[in-house]
Amino acid sequence: MRRNEFSVEDAQEIEQFLHEMTFGFLGTNGADGYPHITPINFVYVNGSFYMHGSKLGQKMSDVRANPSVTFTVAKEYALIPSYWTDPVMACPATAFFKSVIAYGEAVIVEDLEEKADALTAFMEKLQPEGGYDPIRTDNPKYRSAIAGVAVIKINVKEMTAKFKFGQHMPESRANKVMDGLGERGEGFDEETIELMKRFCPHHRAAEEG
């Protein structure tokens, strides 16, 4: 059952998360009757997802045969042990995360300028420090590379987001979880505390009040 309290409809929140992430999973419809999942780098530009790769291979065959695809991006921030809030029961054990699922139509981009723009967006995201010549179609060093690479664009028809950071917890339990995260201090624990304060309704109400 979908937990509505974890749903996020703020486009800016979703877009910020997608700009932070570099990796997602493309779901295509296989001719063999099985859904195919491809782990792949992506960029999100002007409301569309772009990804690139070889012109050959399973994902390209799938997209040509059936352009209906799904694309998902997720990040796990923290595992929450049960004993932080209950000394006996295992049920409170959970994980806090952000996830986005998009449904849309995949298009193989043929326009060289659009391909160059998408590849530029990849470089700006994955290599923000620069160190390369701008990707331009009028640069002879890039011309064959731009023509030779496959770029897939997903025109999004529907997108849903789920950010889980204890929104369903009573304030006392949420405080225990934040205490546990603070004491553990590993990985994204400190960031998770800030996200709990941001998304949990009681903490948000206290800050607004």
Side-chain angles (χ1 to χ4, degrees):
M1 181 177 68
R2 185 172 181 83
R3 298 291 293 269
N4 290 330
E5 65 264 43
F6 303 143
S7 298
V8 175
E9 297 182 1
D10 187 321
Q12 188 173 355
E13 287 278 4
I14 296 171
E15 189 164 342
Q16 180 179 338
F17 173 60
L18 293 175
H19 287 322
E20 292 171 357
M21 301 298 290
T22 62
F23 206 75
F25 296 87
L26 174 66
T28 55
N29 298 281
D32 56 6
Y34 290 95
H36 296 158
I37 306 297
T38 304
I40 195 167
N41 289 117
F42 76 96
V43 289
Y44 183 69
V45 181
N46 297 326
S48 296
F49 291 92
Y50 288 89
M51 49 213 68
H52 66 87
S54 170
K55 290 187 174 182
L56 304 175
Q58 188 69 64
K59 70 176 181 295
M60 297 302 294
S61 298
D62 289 350
V63 166
R64 290 188 182 99
N66 186 340
S68 296
V69 298
T70 60
F71 190 71
T72 186
V73 183
K75 178 179 178 179
E76 184 178 74
Y77 284 78
L79 295 175
I80 309 301
S82 61
Y83 51 78
W84 281 355
T85 56
D86 192 309
V88 178
M89 298 296 291
C91 304
T94 188
F96 288 170
F97 62 89
K98 293 182 181 181
S99 67
V100 171
I101 302 176
Y103 305 87
E105 182 178 17
V107 177
I108 299 173
V109 178
E110 302 293 350
D111 180 80
L112 296 182
E113 293 294 341
E114 185 175 3
K115 291 174 75 173
D117 289 345
L119 295 171
T120 295
F122 270 103
M123 291 303 295
E124 290 174 347
K125 185 175 189 177
L126 301 177
Q127 192 173 308
E129 70 274 17
Y132 58 92
D133 288 340
I135 302 172
R136 296 168 53 109
T137 57
D138 59 0
N139 184 333
K141 294 181 179 180
Y142 280 122
R143 190 175 297 125
S144 61
I146 294 171
V149 70
V151 173
I152 296 174
K153 176 182 182 180
I154 299 177
N155 293 317
V156 177
K157 294 183 177 179
E158 181 184 355
M159 186 157 60
T160 61
K162 184 177 179 180
F163 293 4
K164 181 181 178 183
F165 292 98
Q167 296 95 316
H168 62 302
M169 291 181 175
E171 184 174 3
S172 59
R173 183 177 163 199
N175 287 335
K176 289 180 181 179
V177 170
M178 286 192 288
D179 288 344
L181 289 165
E183 290 175 8
R184 184 171 67 184
E186 299 175 356
F188 298 108
D189 285 350
E190 291 299 325
E191 185 177 355
T192 301
I193 292 172
E194 295 306 312
L195 288 166
M196 288 185 69
K197 292 178 180 178
R198 183 174 171 187
F199 288 106
C200 290
H202 35 268
H203 289 288
R204 190 167 62 243
E207 290 179 0
E208 291 173 354

